[in-house]
Amino acid sequence: MMHYLWMFIVGIVVGAIARLVVPGSEHMGIFLTGILGIVGSFVGGFISRLFSRPADGAVIHPAGIILSVIGAVLVLLAYNHFVR
């Protein structure tokens, strides 16, 4: 249970950084900002999988904060493009 709480807290931080980087005002609450950060982390993991192989047996590749922010920025740009 603590893993999910920690993942959501880091997702809030990553989502907030992505919202600061992308221009414009997105009307998102703290819950959607956390979801943005979590989805951005998965997108960053898929990007990192293109450049390096994960450990044997790992389903996902850990992205790290920088690639998580990059993934969240890409998700936020796609959200702004398709929703608006």
Side-chain angles (χ1 to χ4, degrees):
M1 184 67 182
M2 288 299 287
H3 174 72
Y4 295 119
L5 180 64
W6 181 249
M7 184 171 61
F8 188 70
I9 291 170
V10 171
I12 290 171
V13 171
V14 168
I17 293 171
R19 286 180 59 194
L20 287 173
V21 170
V22 175
S25 64
E26 294 81 20
H27 300 290
M28 296 180 169
I30 195 164
F31 182 73
L32 285 179
T33 302
I35 298 296
L36 169 69
I38 292 169
V39 171
S41 179
F42 282 111
V43 171
F46 289 129
I47 292 171
S48 67
R49 187 177 266 256
L50 295 173
F51 297 110
S52 66
R53 307 263 320 154
D56 291 335
V59 178
I60 59 174
H61 196 287
I65 292 291
I66 295 173
L67 274 173
S68 295
V69 170
I70 291 171
V73 166
L74 291 175
V75 169
L76 192 56
L77 288 173
Y79 173 79
N80 286 339
H81 179 71
F82 289 113
V83 172
R84 294 185 181 184

